[in-house]
Amino acid sequence: MSRPKPLSGFPELAPDARIVEQFVLDRLRETFELHGFGSIETRAVEPLDRLAKQGEIDKEVYAVQRVAAEPGSRAELGLHFDLTVPFARYVLENAGQLAFPFRRYQIQKVWRGERPQEGRYREFTQADIDIVDAGTLAAHHDVELPLVTLGALERLHTDLGVPPVLMRVNNRKLAQGFYLGLDIADPPAVLRQVDKLDKIGPDRVTALLTDEVGVSAAQAASVVRLAQISTPDESFVDRVRGLGVQHPQLDEGLELLAEVVRAARTHVPGRLVADLKIARGLDYYTGTVYETELVGFEGWGSISSGGRYDSLATDGRTTYPGVGLSIGVTRLLAPLLGRGFLRASRSVPTAVLVAVESEESRWDAVAVAEQLRARGIACEVAPRADRFGKQIRYADRRGIPFVWFGGADGEVKDIRSGDQVPATATAWTPPAADLRPQVGAAG
Amino acid sequence: MSRPKPLSGFPELAPDARIVEQFVLDRLRETFELHGFGSIETRAVEPLDRLAKQGEIDKEVYAVQRVAAEPGSRAELGLHFDLTVPFARYVLENAGQLAFPFRRYQIQKVWRGERPQEGRYREFTQADIDIVDAGTLAAHHDVELPLVTLGALERLHTDLGVPPVLMRVNNRKLAQGFYLGLDIADPPAVLRQVDKLDKIGPDRVTALLTDEVGVSAAQAASVVRLAQISTPDESFVDRVRGLGVQHPQLDEGLELLAEVVRAARTHVPGRLVADLKIARGLDYYTGTVYETELVGFEGWGSISSGGRYDSLATDGRTTYPGVGLSIGVTRLLAPLLGRGFLRASRSVPTAVLVAVESEESRWDAVAVAEQLRARGIACEVAPRADRFGKQIRYADRRGIPFVWFGGADGEVKDIRSGDQVPATATAWTPPAADLRPQVGAAG
């Protein structure tokens, strides 16, 4: 075998970076569970026709087929490219057994055959939360989900030093109602142009609206003025009202978005704004839409997005509306790890290396290790009965802070300070900061 | 969308079964980390030629190709079918950055396009531990790995009520040396027949050995007698010696296997036997081999297997020997869950449902929930301000043990006993047994 090369777009973490990722995933899981979300995992593959959008299978989907398949036969399965499509299928398949509203989180890898570039991966991890109900889903869940997500991201900020985030929220009904109130015939066509506002600016969007969508100059001006409204508080409501457009859907959208902003100001102050240009593509979202950037790293794109879908799934008799948010774990972590912004204090879980004096006494060292482990202290026994200096270097290379010498009544050395003290394997405990690898912003 | 049907061989767990699986995976991880194994994850795909065995790609491998690929073009990637092949590649690819001996655990899904049947899945989770070194790997790791694995499985037995296990251990060198001592020319051919002992019995194996492999009747008799030796202690050494065969490799194998058995009797008594018929296929193993059955459920096959490979990987200059054991998490859990032997005490993480008196007071309920969560108590707020009886039934259906009424100075009801007591959201704590879902053998 020759030395293999990495596959572009399929990032693999070194052991110390993986410790950071585990730390993040553990905290996400804990936050989700504290809010009553249960875990599910779905299989990696779906029938290809379920992965189709508007009847067409995206060319970036990975098809999966046994090598044993007939040559030339068509693949029937594909790797999931998000966790929403599989979740919708899971809900339909298990509707009879699930208790609605059903709250689930799902942390899994997904695959997209995109052209690899920074921030774009072919295999990456997402952490999704969704609430889905049968028939109707209460509007307050649109307020709840961003609070849970922002709470999770805030823990990564305070516990790890991940940069703070800003979530931008809009409501499809607000824009839709506004356009209808302006007597615009084709709101989705307008939304498609508004979605380009950040990229091409208001003048070119206005031109596209009049030239391509065929709205009047006055209508286009109102549309662009609406999209330019962004406020960290409820003042956006008055600013929209000031544009003088009336429609029941507009009222509905304003009210719900105001409630999201109000709740966020209480629970996660400074982390959420109403931003009326946010469109989030045109797929399944029908109400609130969310996207989230890392403050100071806006160019990395949205690290957490989602929205409300009035019909996540339907089996013809029952419709299942949902609201969900997805955290792009790889998209968030890969650049932070790659740039060295986050690091683990060591590359192994081990807190103590138990030194071995001679191969004959190896089992005495194992007995010490067992006593430490019984009290939750991760340790390993030195692999070779080298001279102690070499065993200490073994620990040093891995960042293991302590080396144990002798039997159960022995001595323990902090190899950073060089301090060595008598210690008993049934009683000695390392300082809390050394018990597990610490994860944080690089100093 | 019509109601979808499960895909045969791709098991998905219901939320309560997933809680059991998480409980198991958490304990495996904790045990592995206490022994100084660090986590890695490898990408799901490998170049197809790396998945080949002896130059041939198993027909059960799943090939992966973008839908956008040229029609008729050959796939270059496949889903990994185990965690050993990817780990070997990871070691080669990152050898310059890893500290050897390198101890890693890896818990991931793998895929095999086998015919689905009970105990055989197309997607399943494995939990592997391996120690790999550059150049040579000390023999004591062959003793260490089964102790770690049996320790992990013992925790599942004591903490969850998973049946106890019996690990059967052999050593390739022992058999190989014995055959060479008997002047048998083709030891692998003999081993292939011995591997059938459990299935077809000693008489038919003897016949195959004389008729197909071409050994003498006396040689065949010795081979079968060796394979029938199985002891829970070191007495197998004398029994082998009693067969009167001499060879240095036999001595080496006996010594190492005796050390494994000796250590296991001290650290995990009753859970390991020397069993000289164990062959574990003929792939990469070159020394100790392990397989493990659930006591009382031997028909389910091995739930944890592995062995020593003198060359896990090589880049032409350096050889990386390793020893590893893999726990078949899905293979272990799916039948236990399917037969109802293991269950979770509830289907959600939630310990407390905070009741909502009216939609106007929903945010008061949210404030109570936040105070409980701040102290690690998982809770959710009732989705609808129904009458309280209905809210209690909502909790009951999910197994949520407590319902909170009123504000921060409110009352909490244990819905199992009906007891309702005054409680303060900043101080009240549920009994430890109710804080998280409990997992155990079904009563």
Side-chain angles (χ1 to χ4, degrees):
Chain A
M1 273 193 262
S2 57
R3 168 84 33 111
K5 289 197 186 66
L7 275 183
S8 178
F10 292 87
E12 288 183 330
L13 300 179
D16 53 341
R18 169 66 179 157
I19 287 174
V20 175
E21 185 184 54
Q22 285 182 298
F23 195 93
V24 167
L25 295 178
D26 286 347
R27 266 141 200 84
L28 295 181
R29 171 183 168 183
E30 193 181 318
T31 302
F32 298 158
E33 292 184 351
L34 280 174
H35 287 81
F37 291 84
S39 170
I40 70 161
E41 286 195 345
T42 56
R43 62 191 187 223
V45 296
E46 295 292 330
L48 271 179
D49 55 6
R50 288 227 169 241
L51 297 173
K53 288 179 192 166
Q54 282 115 33
E56 201 157 319
I57 295 163
D58 197 303
K59 297 216 173 302
E60 293 172 350
V61 167
Y62 281 106
V64 168
Q65 196 172 27
R66 293 171 66 210
V67 168
E70 289 293 313
S73 66
R74 292 183 64 85
E76 291 176 355
L77 300 176
L79 295 175
H80 56 220
F81 55 81
D82 71 5
L83 300 177
T84 305
V85 170
F87 176 56
R89 190 262 314 153
Y90 180 95
V91 167
L92 278 187
E93 191 176 312
N94 300 289
Q97 282 72 54
L98 301 176
F100 291 101
F102 178 53
R103 305 161 70 86
R104 83 87 173 79
Y105 74 93
Q106 191 169 349
I107 301 178
Q108 283 186 260
K109 292 191 174 130
V110 304
W111 295 269
R112 291 181 200 175
E114 294 192 81
R115 194 167 61 84
Q117 49 177 305
E118 177 150 41
R120 298 276 167 187
Y121 305 97
R122 297 187 145 192
E123 176 178 73
F124 52 102
T125 299
Q126 296 205 166
D128 282 28
I129 50 173
D130 285 84
I131 301 175
V132 63
D133 209 340
T136 58
L137 175 72
H140 59 77
H141 294 302
D142 289 41
V143 187
E144 181 184 9
L145 275 227
L147 298 188
V148 178
T149 303
L150 286 169
L153 293 168
E154 194 66 14
R155 276 196 75 185
L156 302 187
H157 174 54
T158 53
D159 292 8
L160 269 91
V162 166
V165 302
L166 187 66
M167 186 179 280
R168 301 178 181 278
V169 186
N170 194 5
N171 191 296
R172 274 291 162 77
K173 290 198 171 122
L174 192 162
Q176 167 103 359
F178 189 86
Y179 303 161
L180 292 174
L182 282 173
D183 282 326
I184 287 174
D186 188 359
V190 170
L191 205 57
R192 252 190 304 275
Q193 305 304 335
V194 169
D195 201 19
K196 302 174 185 166
L197 192 63
D198 266 347
K199 266 197 189 147
I200 63 175
D203 295 346
R204 289 186 55 201
V205 168
T206 306
L208 284 170
L209 285 171
T210 51
D211 302 353
E212 304 220 339
V213 184
V215 306
S216 73
Q219 286 171 325
S222 282
V223 163
V224 169
R225 252 177 276 145
L226 180 79
Q228 289 178 310
I229 294 172
S230 174
T231 69
D233 53 26
E234 295 170 72
S235 63
F236 74 91
V237 177
D238 286 342
R239 293 186 53 190
V240 175
R241 294 283 180 221
L243 299 178
V245 177
Q246 301 283 340
H247 195 272
Q249 270 197 44
L250 173 60
D251 297 343
E252 200 187 327
L254 283 171
E255 192 183 326
L256 189 52
L257 187 55
E259 199 176 329
V260 172
V261 174
R262 204 158 45 228
R265 276 174 73 82
T266 308
H267 291 86
V268 281
R271 300 292 184 236
L272 186 146
V273 295
D275 188 335
L276 305 199
K277 72 174 173 299
I278 300 301
R280 292 295 325 143
L282 297 160
D283 305 21
Y284 17 62
Y285 300 125
T286 50
T288 317
V289 286
Y290 317 94
E291 65 179 50
T292 314
E293 58 206 24
L294 276 185
V295 175
F297 303 90
E298 290 77 4
W300 293 0
S302 178
I303 52 104
S304 178
S305 311
R308 145 83 68 153
Y309 17 68
D310 283 339
S311 174
L312 171 67
T314 175
D315 58 13
R317 286 185 313 161
T318 309
T319 295
Y320 299 90
V323 58
L325 261 157
S326 174
I327 296 176
V329 176
T330 305
R331 179 180 267 217
L332 170 67
L333 285 185
L336 291 173
L337 289 165
R339 286 172 167 75
F341 290 164
L342 280 180
R343 60 174 198 87
S345 59
R346 55 186 191 249
S347 67
V348 293
T350 314
V352 182
L353 178 75
V354 182
V356 176
E357 206 168 334
S358 67
E359 282 305 327
E360 290 66 45
S361 67
R362 169 168 299 277
W363 289 95
D364 300 338
V366 170
V368 170
E370 283 300 308
Q371 288 174 311
L372 293 170
R373 285 180 196 127
R375 294 183 297 108
I377 301 164
C379 51
E380 52 185 288
V381 175
R384 274 180 285 273
D386 293 322
R387 57 189 177 74
F388 285 156
K390 208 165 168 192
Q391 297 190 44
I392 290 170
R393 277 208 301 285
Y394 173 95
D396 190 37
R397 263 204 312 280
R398 289 160 174 77
I400 301 172
F402 294 96
V403 178
W404 189 282
F405 300 100
D409 287 306
E411 300 206 337
V412 67
K413 180 195 277 287
D414 181 331
I415 67 169
R416 298 157 301 187
S417 64
D419 292 347
Q420 186 165 331
V421 295
T424 305
T426 50
W428 177 84
T429 298
D434 291 326
L435 188 59
R436 275 167 245 292
Q438 300 294 300
V439 172
Chain B
M1 272 192 263
S2 57
R3 166 85 32 112
K5 289 197 185 68
L7 274 184
S8 180
F10 291 89
E12 287 183 331
L13 299 179
D16 53 342
R18 170 66 179 157
I19 287 174
V20 175
E21 186 184 53
Q22 285 182 298
F23 194 94
V24 166
L25 295 177
D26 287 346
R27 265 141 202 84
L28 294 181
R29 170 181 168 184
E30 192 181 319
T31 302
F32 298 157
E33 293 184 351
L34 280 173
H35 287 82
F37 291 85
S39 171
I40 70 161
E41 286 195 345
T42 57
R43 63 191 187 223
V45 297
E46 295 293 330
L48 271 178
D49 55 5
R50 288 231 169 239
L51 297 172
K53 288 179 191 165
Q54 281 117 34
E56 202 158 318
I57 295 162
D58 197 304
K59 298 216 172 305
E60 292 172 351
V61 166
Y62 281 106
V64 168
Q65 197 172 25
R66 292 173 67 212
V67 169
E70 289 292 310
S73 66
R74 292 183 63 86
E76 291 177 355
L77 300 175
L79 296 175
H80 56 218
F81 56 80
D82 71 6
L83 301 176
T84 305
V85 171
F87 175 56
R89 190 263 313 152
Y90 180 95
V91 167
L92 277 188
E93 191 176 312
N94 301 288
Q97 281 72 52
L98 300 177
F100 291 100
F102 177 53
R103 305 161 71 87
R104 83 88 174 78
Y105 75 92
Q106 192 170 348
I107 301 178
Q108 282 187 262
K109 292 194 174 127
V110 304
W111 295 269
R112 292 181 198 175
E114 295 192 81
R115 194 167 60 84
Q117 49 177 306
E118 176 149 42
R120 297 278 165 185
Y121 305 97
R122 296 187 146 192
E123 175 178 72
F124 51 102
T125 299
Q126 296 205 166
D128 282 29
I129 50 173
D130 285 83
I131 301 175
V132 63
D133 209 339
T136 58
L137 176 72
H140 58 76
H141 294 301
D142 289 43
V143 186
E144 181 185 8
L145 276 225
L147 298 189
V148 177
T149 304
L150 286 169
L153 293 169
E154 194 67 15
R155 276 195 76 185
L156 302 188
H157 173 55
T158 52
D159 292 7
L160 270 90
V162 166
V165 302
L166 187 67
M167 185 179 280
R168 300 178 181 279
V169 184
N170 194 7
N171 190 296
R172 272 294 161 75
K173 289 197 173 125
L174 192 162
Q176 168 103 358
F178 189 87
Y179 302 162
L180 293 174
L182 281 173
D183 282 325
I184 287 174
D186 187 359
V190 170
L191 206 57
R192 254 192 302 276
Q193 303 305 336
V194 168
D195 202 18
K196 303 175 185 165
L197 192 65
D198 266 349
K199 263 197 191 148
I200 63 174
D203 295 346
R204 288 184 57 199
V205 168
T206 306
L208 285 170
L209 285 171
T210 52
D211 302 354
E212 305 218 340
V213 185
V215 305
S216 73
Q219 286 171 325
S222 282
V223 164
V224 169
R225 252 176 276 147
L226 179 79
Q228 287 178 310
I229 294 172
S230 174
T231 68
D233 53 27
E234 294 170 73
S235 63
F236 74 91
V237 177
D238 286 342
R239 291 186 55 189
V240 175
R241 293 286 180 219
L243 298 177
V245 177
Q246 302 283 342
H247 195 271
Q249 271 199 42
L250 172 60
D251 297 343
E252 200 187 324
L254 283 171
E255 194 183 324
L256 188 52
L257 186 55
E259 199 175 328
V260 173
V261 173
R262 205 158 44 228
R265 276 174 73 82
T266 308
H267 291 86
V268 280
R271 300 294 185 234
L272 185 147
V273 295
D275 188 336
L276 305 199
K277 71 175 174 295
I278 300 301
R280 292 297 324 145
L282 297 161
D283 305 22
Y284 17 63
Y285 300 124
T286 50
T288 317
V289 287
Y290 316 93
E291 63 179 52
T292 313
E293 59 205 25
L294 275 186
V295 175
F297 303 89
E298 290 78 3
W300 294 0
S302 177
I303 53 103
S304 179
S305 311
R308 145 84 68 154
Y309 16 71
D310 283 338
S311 173
L312 171 67
T314 177
D315 58 13
R317 288 184 313 155
T318 310
T319 295
Y320 299 89
V323 57
L325 261 157
S326 173
I327 296 176
V329 176
T330 304
R331 180 182 265 219
L332 171 67
L333 285 185
L336 291 173
L337 289 165
R339 286 174 169 74
F341 290 162
L342 281 180
R343 60 177 198 85
S345 60
R346 54 188 192 248
S347 67
V348 292
T350 316
V352 182
L353 177 76
V354 182
V356 176
E357 206 168 335
S358 67
E359 281 307 326
E360 290 67 45
S361 67
R362 169 167 299 280
W363 289 96
D364 300 337
V366 170
V368 169
E370 283 301 308
Q371 289 175 308
L372 293 170
R373 285 180 196 127
R375 295 183 297 110
I377 302 165
C379 50
E380 52 185 287
V381 175
R384 275 181 284 273
D386 293 322
R387 59 189 176 73
F388 284 157
K390 209 166 166 190
Q391 297 190 45
I392 291 170
R393 275 208 303 286
Y394 173 95
D396 189 38
R397 262 204 312 280
R398 288 159 175 79
I400 301 171
F402 294 96
V403 178
W404 189 282
F405 301 100
D409 287 305
E411 300 205 339
V412 66
K413 180 196 277 288
D414 181 331
I415 66 169
R416 297 157 301 187
S417 66
D419 292 348
Q420 186 165 332
V421 295
T424 305
T426 50
W428 178 84
T429 298
D434 290 325
L435 189 60
R436 275 168 244 292
Q438 299 293 300
V439 171

